[in-house]
Amino acid sequence: MTVKKILTEPNEILRQISKPVEKVGKEEQKLMDDMLETMYSANGIGLAAVQIGVPKRIIVMDLSKDEKIKEPRYFVNPKIKNKDSLKSTYEEGCLSVPNQFAEIDRPKKCDIEYLDYNGKKKLLKAEGLLATCIQHEMDHLEGILFIDYLSKLKKSMIIKKLSKNKSSRIVV
Ligand code: GNR
Ligand code: NI
């Protein structure tokens, strides 16, 4: 397993629409292993393949609170089957938008159909942080970042800050 570099905004690749996976094979499993390793090393709870520069519809996640007990989850070609009209608010962050946080409203519950690590079809009823996180990750597959939900002013301030940090290679 290899820790890959996580792309950060502004970056055109993050705005690409990820392509469906045709078959969950060795190559995809290796990608999922690398994604998980990369996510753990960055202390994230989720990661989409496009964040390491691979625009495929693959997500990894681990919401376990105890670092010693790993609970990796893998989602290939996830589709939202049903979503709650009731919203919940969560303070979101993103490894591709370093050190920025904002409260985002999303459906409180959703049902997700996906393929697992072995290519087996699964259905998951998600709520709470799991629902928030899977929707955040699925946005990545569409080239959407959480800052896209903020006002134009807030979003442009964040992008300006990130661009500045990038050019001076300072990470605040
Ligand atoms: O590590 C992460 N934490 C987080 C917190 C609230 C809502 C979503 C997330 S996902 C994020 C990792 C990430 O950027 N995944 O794309
Ligand atoms: Ni993210």
Side-chain angles (χ1 to χ4, degrees), residues 31-33 35-37 39-40 44-49 58-65 69-76 78 110 112 114-118 122-131 133-134 137:
L31 175 61
M32 290 189 260
D33 295 343
M35 286 169 64
L36 200 70
E37 187 88 344
M39 183 191 79
Y40 286 140
I45 57 173
L47 192 78
I58 299 180
I59 291 164
V60 297
M61 214 180 280
D62 191 333
L63 303 181
S64 162
K65 288 195 189 73
I69 305 166
K70 296 210 190 317
E71 290 171 7
R73 296 169 185 267
Y74 308 89
F75 301 89
V76 178
C110 58
I112 312 289
Y114 62 99
L115 302 177
D116 69 8
Y117 190 85
N118 298 306
K122 292 273 176 76
L123 188 73
L124 174 75
K125 290 187 180 298
E127 59 179 300
L129 182 57
L130 178 58
C133 193
I134 188 97
E137 302 310 336

Side-chain angles (χ1 to χ4, degrees), residues 44-47 51 90-95 132-133 136-137 140:
I45 57 173
L47 192 78
Q51 293 180 275
Y90 200 90
E91 185 172 55
E92 298 195 15
C94 180
L95 295 171
T132 296
C133 193
H136 171 112
E137 302 310 336
H140 278 298

Side-chain angles (χ1 to χ4, degrees), residues 89-164:
T89 307
Y90 200 90
E91 185 172 55
E92 298 195 15
C94 180
L95 295 171
S96 295
V97 188
N99 306 303
Q100 308 300 317
F101 303 90
E103 297 214 324
I104 306 291
D105 287 346
R106 298 185 188 271
K108 192 178 162 68
K109 297 181 184 177
C110 58
D111 297 343
I112 312 289
E113 192 184 272
Y114 62 99
L115 302 177
D116 69 8
Y117 190 85
N118 298 306
K120 199 166 165 257
K121 195 165 166 175
K122 292 273 176 76
L123 188 73
L124 174 75
K125 290 187 180 298
E127 59 179 300
L129 182 57
L130 178 58
T132 296
C133 193
I134 188 97
Q135 291 175 73
H136 171 112
E137 302 310 336
M138 286 180 71
D139 270 356
H140 278 298
L141 307 184
E142 304 302 325
I144 298 168
L145 300 173
F146 79 91
I147 53 171
D148 299 346
Y149 298 112
L150 305 177
S151 70
K152 273 191 178 171
L153 180 64
K154 278 188 186 163
K155 180 179 168 181
S156 66
M157 278 178 7
I158 289 175
I159 293 176
K160 204 170 144 185
K161 214 184 284 177
L162 295 178
S163 310
K164 224 180 197 172

